[in-house]
Amino acid sequence: MPDTPLRFDDLDSLRRTVAAWRGAGERIVLVPTMGALHAGHLALVAHGRAIGRRVVVSIFVNPTQFGPTEDFSRYPRDTEADLARLAEAGADAAWLPSVATMYPDGFATRIEPGPAAGGLCGDVRPGHFSGVATVVTKLLNQVGPDIALFGEKDFQQLQVIRSVVRDLDIPAEIAGVPTLREPDGLALSSRNRYLTPDERARAPRLHATLAEIAEGLARGAAAHPLLAEGIAALEAAGFGPVQYLELRDARTLAPLARAEREARLLVAAYLGKTRLIDNVAVLPA
Ligand code: PAF
């Protein structure tokens, strides 16, 4: 039987344990999550175990990063199943704060991230990245890890967090881990469970479309016509609305007209009622 991770819902106990680990010279890795853990999260834990001595996984469905019409109340929550997965993956501790612990009465501070949060998900989910930046800053302050791991599937989120950590001198390294995919290319996501069987069959077109466009861009083609064709192809495959399909600088996320430097192609589109996002790297032509 794998060891169950230590389970904390009280900040003082978590801090005492992490301080003891740190005092023993152990490198601490944080994997922040909203639960509903899948193989993508477990890959982050595995990566954490490879690079550190202690892996702390936070599970907190953060209300402040959901818009009023988004899926906060129906977001999948199953702490016991998550803890069983963390035991299999070899995590050392699970940090399970309540909403009242994270946002007690009188809580009044929000972090407003800079330009990395502009456009893309920042436009279609107003306030989302402020909610993410605030909660991630709190999690980093609570756990005090040497390094925190985030999936590249949420590529804009990763860049926003990097910019916040840099700007606020938070003493933690931020690392991205490549997206884990189903054999047919669909990026793993807690929201994939919302898809009907018919939608699940169509969903891999999202990644396939990105891969096709990325190939054209890597040959030096201009982005605009390829992106317009990609949107039309996604709509023909049953996606809609396509919220964005854009080529951005991989570091600053500034818009690019062609892949003249290291770039990222990013998409967000609805398939039925489910919003899917994905992205791929595009090497300079
Ligand atoms: O990517 C997520 O699961 C969340 O946005 C995060 C980083 C855990 C913050 O709530």
Side-chain angles (χ1 to χ4, degrees), residues 59-107:
I59 298 181
F60 179 63
V61 185
N62 173 36
T64 68
Q65 69 187 75
F66 289 80
T69 60
E70 294 183 350
D71 56 347
F72 173 68
S73 54
R74 74 176 179 125
Y75 197 84
R77 292 163 172 86
D78 188 345
T79 306
E80 295 314 315
D82 285 344
L83 289 171
R85 287 191 189 110
L86 291 182
E88 292 287 340
D92 295 282
W95 169 220
L96 308 165
S98 65
V99 173
T101 299
M102 292 303 263
Y103 303 116
D105 277 350
F107 181 91

Side-chain angles (χ1 to χ4, degrees), residues 19 39-40 59 82 85 112 114 125 129 177-178 181 190 201 214 230 234 238 252 256 261 264 276:
I59 298 181
D82 285 344
R85 287 191 189 110
E112 279 308 329
R125 303 186 70 188
F129 285 123
V177 176
R181 298 184 181 279
S190 304
L234 286 173
T252 63
L256 289 180
R261 49 189 188 270
R264 208 87 191 179
L276 299 176

Side-chain angles (χ1 to χ4, degrees), residues 6-10 13-15 17 21 92-97:
L6 298 170
R7 178 181 176 148
F8 296 98
D9 48 24
D10 161 69
S13 325
L14 171 77
R15 281 193 160 139
T17 299
W21 289 340
D92 295 282
W95 169 220
L96 308 165

Side-chain angles (χ1 to χ4, degrees), residues 2-7 31 33 35-38 41-46 49 55-59 78-96:
D3 283 346
T4 311
L6 298 170
R7 178 181 176 148
V31 178
T33 80
L37 302 180
H38 51 66
H41 297 111
L42 304 185
L44 296 178
V45 175
R49 278 167 54 94
V55 180
V56 180
V57 178
S58 63
I59 298 181
D78 188 345
T79 306
E80 295 314 315
D82 285 344
L83 289 171
R85 287 191 189 110
L86 291 182
E88 292 287 340
D92 295 282
W95 169 220
L96 308 165

Side-chain angles (χ1 to χ4, degrees), residues 32-34 60 62 65 132 135-136 150 154 157 161:
T33 80
M34 297 205 300
F60 179 63
N62 173 36
Q65 69 187 75
V132 169
V135 80
V136 170
F150 296 85
D154 296 284
Q157 166 174 282
I161 291 166

